[in-house]
Amino acid sequence: MSEIFWKQKTLQQMTDEEWESLCDGCARCCLVKLEDEDTAEVCYTNVSCQLLNTESCRCKNYANRLSLVQECLDIRKMSPAEYQWLPESCAYRRLSEGRPLASWHPLVSGRQQSVEDARVAVSAFAISEEYVHTEQLEQHIIQLYTIEDVE
């Protein structure tokens, strides 16, 4: 795998290994999202998918997630237009929009810890959907930000 493959290839040209390495492990895509019916704005909640290990920010059953969770996004099969459902910080969305990877991304920083340091990982605040009633989701809407937003 080339060290800077993400600058040399489109998302569609990437191998499975390259594609998977783009995931920074923040788990923001695993947060429950609500869409405003009037504006189509996507709002994030601090409520995570039941399969997310909220401490490690990893899926408990990644191989079977698509069959177990109806709302789970198969990002590899999404069109760039559908990337609006991904957080602004997401490498897949950033690259599809012609933006570089964030400075804290492990492929740039060389450290997985940089995701935590940038306060991008959900491990500090996510609550499993097992503990939240669907009627309470609006009370859990949050504003996501990254270190780049405050620099």
Side-chain angles (χ1 to χ4, degrees), residues 69-92:
V69 178
Q70 183 179 2
E71 298 84 22
C72 188
L73 302 173
D74 187 349
I75 299 171
R76 188 87 194 231
K77 292 183 180 174
M78 291 170 62
S79 71
E82 293 173 301
Y83 288 173
Q84 70 171 348
W85 282 95
L86 299 174
E88 293 269 344
S89 60
C90 179
Y92 304 107

Side-chain angles (χ1 to χ4, degrees), residues 2 4 10 16-17 22-23 32 42 46 57 63 65 84-85 87 107 116 126 128 135 142:
S2 165
I4 55 169
T10 65
D16 288 342
E17 181 184 7
L22 284 177
C23 177
V32 175
V42 177
N46 65 342
C57 285
R65 72 193 187 288
Q84 70 171 348
W85 282 95
L107 290 174
E116 291 282 339
S128 176
E135 292 176 6
I142 58 170

